[in-house]
Amino acid sequence: MRHLKVADLMTDDVVSAVSSTGFREVAKLLAEHDISGLPVVDEDDRVVGVVSASDLLARREPTVQDLMSAPAVTVHAEETAGDTARLMVRRGVERLPVVDEEERLVGIVTRRDLLRVFLRPDAEIRRRICEEIVADALGMPEDAVEVHVLDGVVTVGGRVRRRSRARMLVGLAARVDGVVAVVDRLAFQEDDTRLTLPARTAHAPL
């Protein structure tokens, strides 16, 4: 199952600064491009820090080197949108510089970019669940269960043979890009999730 990657969402035309960029020049860049922060790179385009409008407001230092937050929290272009969103929340940041295998700046991704994931059409979400999960991952006919999607909320219904299969379907559906929540209305014939205890022998401890 393919997930949207940072490379699918990022902006590759990045406004950046270097360590020697002055205070007023950074303020000008932020204002002209209507952005709240930008990455700081070295002579090889490797990200060494991030400077934001909050940094400028907190203190006035001559150059970016004295203002930036370092080391910078970055993300690789091949990371998934979901993992990147969790990293942003965990680190409390609004944007992440995107780097390649050699840690060179290739783009920037923001929380606003990641929110685009949840604007995917309901029909596309349903198609992916039916094709990639029901058919490909679980090996069932696409119409083996009922799948309804409204505003990103997925409702799955019908009957499957095993409870484990129902759990897997719901879990995988929740991971599809654009899914807000999954309502589980699946029934099952066999509960194969209960542990079967081995029969006690005469030598087994009490």
Side-chain angles (χ1 to χ4, degrees):
M1 184 170 62
R2 182 184 182 276
H3 292 285
L4 275 178
K5 304 291 182 65
V6 170
D8 301 319
L9 300 167
M10 71 180 190
T11 299
D12 54 14
D13 183 15
V14 190
V15 179
S16 62
V18 296
S19 297
S20 59
T21 304
F23 180 98
R24 293 190 66 180
E25 181 62 22
V26 174
K28 183 179 178 181
L29 287 171
L30 296 179
E32 284 183 350
H33 296 277
D34 192 24
I35 53 178
S36 58
L38 50 81
V40 182
V41 298
D42 63 14
E43 61 275 8
D44 296 317
D45 254 1
R46 290 185 171 87
V47 181
V48 295
V50 173
V51 63
S52 68
S54 298
D55 296 324
L56 269 66
L57 293 172
R59 59 191 189 279
R60 296 187 179 182
E61 300 290 347
T63 66
V64 164
Q65 186 172 5
D66 305 307
L67 291 166
M68 68 183 185
S69 301
V73 181
T74 61
V75 64
H76 286 88
E78 292 305 306
E79 293 291 331
T80 67
D83 288 341
T84 302
R86 285 186 282 273
L87 176 60
M88 280 189 179
V89 172
R90 189 165 64 248
R91 294 301 187 98
V93 295
E94 297 290 330
R95 73 202 64 77
L96 288 172
V98 184
V99 297
D100 62 14
E101 295 80 2
E102 298 181 2
E103 303 300 319
R104 291 177 301 195
L105 181 67
V106 295
I108 195 156
V109 65
T110 67
R111 291 195 181 195
R112 181 178 297 178
D113 295 327
L114 295 175
L115 285 175
R116 286 163 48 197
V117 173
F118 294 99
L119 299 179
R120 305 190 81 174
D122 290 340
E124 182 182 348
I125 294 173
R126 183 183 185 280
R127 178 189 62 76
R128 290 195 61 192
I129 292 174
C130 292
E131 292 180 2
E132 299 178 17
I133 297 177
V134 178
D136 294 347
L138 300 180
M140 301 188 297
E142 289 185 18
D143 59 354
V145 295
E146 301 166 5
V147 180
H148 302 284
V149 186
L150 180 62
D151 294 335
V153 178
V154 178
T155 301
V156 288
R159 177 180 291 270
V160 296
R161 183 176 177 182
R162 295 184 176 88
R163 187 178 187 182
S164 61
R165 181 66 59 91
R167 283 184 174 179
M168 186 179 297
L169 197 162
V170 171
L172 290 174
R175 295 173 55 191
V176 171
D177 294 323
V179 171
V180 175
V182 179
V183 179
D184 180 6
R185 293 182 177 168
L186 286 169
F188 52 87
Q189 298 174 2
E190 303 173 10
D191 186 354
D192 60 337
T193 62
R194 295 183 179 180
L195 293 176
T196 303
L197 296 176
R200 180 176 294 174
T201 65
H203 302 287
L206 296 177

